[in-house]
Amino acid sequence: DFGCGTGRSLIPAIQMKMNCIGIDLSNSMLAEAKKKMASTNALGRIVWIQSNLLELQWLSSNCVDLGVCLFSTFGMIRGRKNRVGFLQQVARSLSPNGTFLVHGHSLWFQTKFPGGKRWLVWNWLRSIASRKYEFGDRHSDSQGVKQLFLHSFTLRAFSDELKSAGLAVKEIHAIQDLLPNGENATPTPMGWIIACGKKS
């Protein structure tokens, strides 16, 4: 799990008897994940590693059968060059038939919120005016963190970053904002989870 946080994604993997690696930059998140795993009988089947996702050279090639980067983690990497660099390390670490699942937020979903269309225009103009910003960069308060950086994607840009890093897109799953009756709240998805493999 690339950016495992408190281990949400690893619990079902452990329950399925997988051998797991949880990687996160935050020692406090890893400590919380270890506490959470104490009740899952995961001893000996999970390794915790404190590491920056931009510094994964230590990870062996062809060693990962299933990699995940979920819950907005990929969008927290600032700059296309850095994101592609991370994805290149993921591609290197995947086994020949391995799968990588990655989540990204939709840029167009911002139009659902008040002032969203105006924000999109301003964001686009800012990306043209300054090389420091990409179209889709934003900051917002999230889960107690003030002004958390998060990059949102168009589906094309998201797919292009994956492909340019040596990953082949297998499936694209839209994440919908659902009403209580199960219908889509908007025609625009909130984001996507993309399943990838190594390019052949």
Side-chain angles (χ1 to χ4, degrees):
D1 188 343
F2 298 96
C4 65
T6 61
R8 284 190 280 182
S9 302
L10 291 170
I11 291 174
I14 287 296
Q15 290 171 341
M16 290 186 283
K17 310 298 183 185
M18 294 181 177
N19 295 317
C20 301
I21 301 173
I23 304 168
D24 204 276
L25 182 61
S26 168
N27 275 319
S28 61
M29 288 283 194
L30 291 173
E32 187 65 28
K34 291 174 185 178
K35 288 181 186 177
K36 192 180 291 186
M37 288 295 167
S39 62
T40 64
N41 195 27
L43 188 64
R45 288 191 288 111
I46 188 162
V47 175
W48 304 102
I49 298 177
Q50 191 271 332
S51 179
N52 191 319
L53 293 184
L54 303 182
E55 300 171 354
L56 297 177
Q57 294 83 359
W58 53 267
L59 192 60
S60 298
S61 298
N62 305 313
C63 70
V64 176
D65 294 318
L66 174 62
V68 298
C69 185
L70 303 174
F71 305 114
S72 309
T73 300
F74 183 58
M76 294 178 193
I77 300 175
R78 186 163 195 160
R80 185 181 190 277
K81 181 179 178 180
N82 288 331
R83 289 191 298 273
V84 171
F86 159 65
L87 292 172
Q88 286 172 334
Q89 294 297 330
V90 171
R92 180 184 60 77
S93 72
L94 275 185
S95 61
N97 295 316
T99 298
F100 175 57
L101 303 177
V102 57
H103 165 248
H105 283 285
S106 168
L107 177 59
W108 307 124
F109 189 70
Q110 301 307 310
T111 59
K112 172 184 181 291
F113 303 103
K117 291 180 180 178
R118 186 167 58 251
W119 177 85
L120 276 176
V121 173
W122 171 82
N123 190 266
W124 176 67
L125 290 173
R126 185 180 68 167
S127 70
I128 293 173
S130 174
R131 292 183 179 180
K132 292 195 303 181
Y133 298 101
E134 292 180 284
F135 186 37
D137 285 355
R138 60 190 175 95
H139 291 82
S140 61
D141 297 343
S142 177
Q143 299 180 5
V145 179
K146 294 289 186 181
Q147 293 299 288
L148 178 71
F149 173 83
L150 185 65
H151 182 78
S152 296
F153 302 84
T154 64
L155 181 55
R156 179 176 179 177
F158 193 5
S159 299
D160 283 350
E161 289 190 11
L162 294 165
K163 292 172 184 176
S164 65
L167 292 163
V169 174
K170 295 178 178 179
E171 296 181 31
I172 299 173
H173 300 272
I175 302 170
Q176 299 290 351
D177 185 19
L178 299 178
L179 297 170
N181 63 5
E183 294 182 0
N184 293 340
T186 66
T188 304
M190 299 171 65
W192 308 272
I193 293 178
I194 300 182
C196 312
K198 278 184 183 287
K199 278 187 179 178
S200 55

